[in-house]
Amino acid sequence: MNRTNQFSEELAAFYEASHDYGDIGDESFYLDAATDADGPVLEGACGSGRLYLELLRRGVDADGFDVSPAMLDILREKAAAEDLSPTVWEADLRSVDADRSYALALVPYNSLCNLPTVDDQLAALNALHDVLEPGGRLLFDAYVPRYDVIAESFGEWQGVRTVEYEGTELRGRSRTTIDDQVKQTYRAEQELLDADGEVVARDEFVLSHLPPQQVELLARQSPFEQWSVTGGFDGESLADGDDVQVWELVK
């Protein structure tokens, strides 16, 4: 199986140093769900531990996995600095590779969009279903595609920031372009440049737009018994103008 959307060490360090999570607004939603869960919790695509380490701080019995070994290395370094004991491993959403079952699985921050095909998306739902206890829940979010925003930003380099990596100051930038208009996939490019403007690290990913109708069809084709969606993390109904959809699937 191909492992998709792995960060290089340099770009993982840049992502951790420069990414601003302050305006995501999902933290209390996922953390409250995890602390209320009646059993172990699994976080898919846990990255460098933004949510996962907070679960450990709160005493939640939580495991995690991510496709990027570089991101997991950062998570482990941060955990060691706080004397926390993470249980995390390298895997992608299509093959969870867990050795126990969970009352709750979380896949935050649009991570399912990293799966560009219907087969990949269904494989992920099947894999997550398999590691849930009977009655267990899967929670995930995906942005609502806004084509006015897409039309404005596609093709332009965005978000230029600087970070120091191994004693060298590097500038990072990102760009999205259309990958396949029919399939509604797009390509995300990320680069690090040195002081001379030379590219020293580069990654690119193909991601999928997941409008709510497609996610509902995926849920209907999955083995989950129940599903529901809200328009954000406050439990309100999904409505025109919302920029995030939050799904709950129940085994």
Side-chain angles (χ1 to χ4, degrees):
M1 175 180 295
N2 292 329
R3 302 286 181 171
T4 59
N5 295 16
Q6 299 186 40
F7 280 105
S8 65
E9 290 185 9
E10 296 88 350
L11 279 160
F14 175 78
Y15 187 90
E16 176 64 20
S18 65
H19 209 70
D20 182 7
Y21 294 109
D23 60 354
I24 295 175
D26 65 348
E27 292 90 346
S28 61
F29 172 80
Y30 285 118
L31 294 173
D32 289 348
T35 54
D36 291 341
D38 188 19
V41 175
L42 176 67
E43 184 184 353
C46 61
S48 60
R50 174 180 69 98
L51 292 176
Y52 179 77
L53 292 177
E54 185 59 30
L55 295 179
L56 297 188
R57 296 182 191 111
R58 296 188 181 199
V60 176
D61 180 9
D63 299 340
F65 67 91
D66 196 271
V67 71
S68 171
M71 295 293 273
L72 291 176
D73 285 345
I74 294 173
L75 183 155
R76 293 186 180 103
E77 290 173 4
K78 294 195 296 184
E82 298 184 45
D83 201 26
L84 298 172
S85 300
T87 301
V88 294
W89 60 89
E90 183 185 348
D92 75 16
L93 292 167
R94 300 164 296 178
S95 180
V96 174
D97 298 333
D99 58 7
R100 63 171 175 162
S101 58
Y102 301 89
L104 176 68
L106 313 174
V107 184
Y109 203 33
N110 306 305
S111 293
L112 281 175
C113 296
N114 287 279
L115 302 171
T117 72
V118 170
D119 285 344
D120 289 334
Q121 295 151 12
L122 284 175
L125 294 185
N126 287 333
L128 291 162
H129 178 274
D130 287 347
V131 299
L132 286 172
E133 301 169 352
R137 300 185 299 149
L138 167 63
L139 297 176
F140 64 89
D141 62 86
Y143 69 92
V144 177
R146 291 182 54 191
Y147 295 103
D148 55 337
V149 175
I150 291 168
E152 290 179 359
S153 62
F154 266 36
E156 301 292 332
W157 288 107
Q158 305 285 335
V160 177
R161 298 187 181 185
T162 60
V163 64
E164 185 172 307
Y165 177 74
E166 294 186 348
T168 301
E169 188 173 271
L170 302 173
R171 292 185 297 115
R173 63 182 185 178
S174 61
R175 177 174 65 180
T176 54
T177 55
I178 294 172
D179 174 67
D180 189 308
Q181 193 162 0
V182 172
K183 295 179 180 178
Q184 292 290 285
T185 55
Y186 63 100
R187 187 175 304 276
E189 304 169 79
Q190 303 182 63
E191 294 182 344
L192 287 180
L193 300 89
D194 62 19
D196 297 323
E198 296 295 323
V199 175
V200 297
R202 186 179 191 279
D203 289 328
E204 64 175 55
F205 312 139
V206 174
L207 302 101
S208 177
H209 294 306
L210 289 176
Q213 289 167 305
Q214 181 172 339
V215 180
E216 182 177 349
L217 287 171
L218 291 168
R220 289 175 181 269
Q221 291 297 311
S222 78
F224 284 94
E225 294 290 333
Q226 303 172 39
W227 52 85
S228 59
V229 62
T230 61
F233 300 102
D234 55 6
E236 297 295 326
S237 298
L238 180 63
D240 189 22
D242 288 332
D243 58 7
V244 64
Q245 49 186 315
V246 180
W247 288 84
E248 178 184 55
L249 279 61
V250 182
K251 182 170 181 176

